[in-house]
């Protein structure tokens, strides 16, 4: 009976459960990075399109670059994990290299393998990582499946690919069915 349920509609509930982030924030600037540092998180993994820049934007804003410098000064390493190709980053490679930001292109999110391989090569355990992204069924599922602390931000732009736009309908539905995932505790 379990197998019948799981292989018919049960996987939908599992996917929705994996898509539950630890926190929801409006944007990357509202996250309490000092609290993340206090709880031994060392690597911040950002999605690129619609998390750091509007979809298909060619440049990182000065505000994002300054923000990366701030995070580096706090002691974080930063990884940009994108499903986009290497050529997607041609216009920003020099800026990213100058502030020692790592990039994982063709991440294959929501699959976890390429991101896990990358964090292992950087010397981190999953419990030391935070994944920040705008999509539940790619970014957040990948992060949860990998064992990262996950933070969902609102997309920077409504302009996005047709597939992403289609999947957003399922995101809205699943948001109504979500249970709350534990947040980081802070001693006060």
């Amino acid at each position: 009976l379990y197998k019948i349920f799981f292989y018919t509609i049960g996987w939908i509930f599992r996917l929705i459960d994996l898509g539950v982030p630890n926190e929801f924030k409006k944007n990357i600037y509202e996250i309490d990075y000092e609290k993340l540092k206090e709880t031994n998180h060392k690597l911040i993994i950002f999605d690129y399109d619609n998390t750091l820049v509007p979809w298909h934007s060619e440049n990182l804003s000065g505000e994002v670059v300054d923000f990366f410098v701030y995070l580096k000064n706090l002691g974080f390493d930063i990884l940009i994990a994108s499903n986009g190709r290497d050529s997607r980053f041609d216009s920003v490679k020099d800026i990213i290299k100058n502030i020692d930001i790592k990039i994982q292109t063709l991440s294959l999110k929501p699959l976890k393998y390429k991101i896990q391989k990358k964090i292992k090569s950087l010397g981190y355990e999953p419990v030391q990582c935070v994944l920040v992204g705008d999509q539940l069924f790619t970014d957040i599922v990948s992060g949860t499946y990998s064992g990262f602390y996950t933070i969902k931000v609102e997309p920077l732009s409504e302009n996005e690919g047709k597939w992403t736009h289609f999947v957003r309908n399922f995101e809205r539905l699943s948001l109504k069915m979500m249970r709350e995932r534990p947040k980081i505790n802070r001693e006060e």
Side-chain angles (χ1 to χ4, degrees), residues 2-19 137 141 163 170 177:
Y2 172 78
K3 286 183 180 182
I4 293 170
F5 175 76
F6 181 80
Y7 289 109
T8 55
I9 63 168
W11 64 271
I12 295 170
F13 295 102
R14 175 67 175 139
L15 184 62
I16 289 171
D17 188 52
L18 285 171
F137 295 123
V141 166
W163 176 253
F170 293 104
M177 299 170 37

Side-chain angles (χ1 to χ4, degrees), residues 17-22 139-148 150 181:
D17 188 52
L18 285 171
V20 178
N22 297 95
D139 306 320
I140 303 305
V141 166
S142 178
T144 303
Y145 194 39
S146 298
F148 306 153
T150 55
R181 194 173 294 280

